[in-house]
Amino acid sequence: MSGTEDQVIPSRLPTCHRYALFRVSASVVVGTNAALTMQAVGAVKAGKVVGTTGEATKDYCLFSDFKDLPKVSTSILVADYDAVTKIGNVDAIITMSSKSYLKNESTFTEAGIDVVRISSSDGMKAISVALTIGYLLNLEESANEYAKFCDKVISHVTEKKNTIDSGDVKTCLCATMANHVSGTISDFYGLTTMCGGNNVADWSTTTKQFNDGDEWLLNEKYHVDVFIHFHNYGYDTSADLSSMYNTYRENFDAIQTVKDGNYYMINGNMPAVVRLAYTASILYPEVFGADYGDIVHQEYIDSFIDNLSSEGYKVTDMKFVLTDSDFGITS
């Protein structure tokens, strides 16, 4: 990733013939990471988002600006066709690249509603994704600012990573959902390697499940320096995190790294570039600074998340990385 902000932006707009001839005035968003991108480029504030999913787990502290929008489903993965058409004049559904999202895509495209899929959970793709969305929604200026921010963080992490001596490289594994360990094609795997971690996962699927009674993860080759679990637990500073933490941690409490007290849970309700900063600060606090994640995160909120910045939200009022010591667990 290039290091100068001035070079970054226009040349990185992907050639996208499918979308070259239209702009989006009214969209429905399906998927949390897609919603984060829409927030960051100013789409909600600009009135370009007219509908969203209404799952009970949606974090309406972070997504308070989505709260009053029409809901098109009660699931993060789907959109009901009748609910979308009831809104009226919807140009496009913005959703995630995974096939798990919007399996009824053809229902919309056959009715003339485009489906735009974005890879917004991948740190390396965050810049081009933001620029593409900015172009489609006629929000190029705000998208450029967000892309510059992402580029700055990625460039800084890359520069610092290159200073790490080979003998100081940390081994790691990462998990997502309740008990799935990320494989080599996972975006979470990519985050750990981007900031210099030696992720020892050796399976080429997105994730591999670790069930109660399984022993494969107990193999000595998976005894790593750091185990990172990405889990969405929101921005509500009054939330009870203790029971949630214990519930998810116990899925991995048989592995040696967790027994040694080197289990970290990162709040997944953040864009990939912010998760990257937190991951870097966990793996190499002496290189990046233990507070690097919070610094990047606060800049992101102040610059791009209007509904939180207008309320004076401070990331230090909430724990976006949880460890055993936060809950009095001793190894």
Side-chain angles (χ1 to χ4, degrees), residues 234-274:
Y235 277 63
D236 184 354
T237 57
S238 64
D240 176 16
L241 302 180
S242 178
S243 59
M244 178 276 301
Y245 180 83
N246 288 328
T247 297
Y248 283 87
R249 180 192 181 280
E250 70 180 10
N251 292 319
F252 299 104
D253 62 8
I255 71 174
Q256 191 60 47
T257 304
V258 178
K259 289 181 179 180
D260 292 342
N262 294 315
Y263 173 89
Y264 297 81
M265 179 178 284
I266 297 180
N267 192 335
N269 284 115
M270 301 180 286
V273 72
V274 179

Side-chain angles (χ1 to χ4, degrees), residues 13-30:
L13 184 61
T15 302
C16 192
H17 297 296
R18 181 179 173 188
Y19 306 126
L21 300 178
F22 84 99
R23 298 291 181 103
V24 176
S25 297
S27 66
V28 168
V29 181
V30 177

Side-chain angles (χ1 to χ4, degrees), residues 175-180 229 231 248 251-252:
T176 183
M177 298 179 280
N179 60 339
H180 289 69
H229 196 165
H231 176 65
Y248 283 87
N251 292 319
F252 299 104

Side-chain angles (χ1 to χ4, degrees), residues 28 30 50-52 70-74 78-90 93 102 104-109 111 113:
V28 168
V30 177
V50 297
T52 185
K71 305 303 183 290
V72 298
S73 74
T74 57
V78 302
D80 178 74
Y81 175 76
D82 291 335
V84 172
T85 55
K86 185 178 179 180
I87 296 171
N89 299 316
V90 174
I93 309 289
L102 206 70
N104 60 336
E105 174 178 343
S106 61
T107 303
F108 294 99
T109 55
I113 299 174

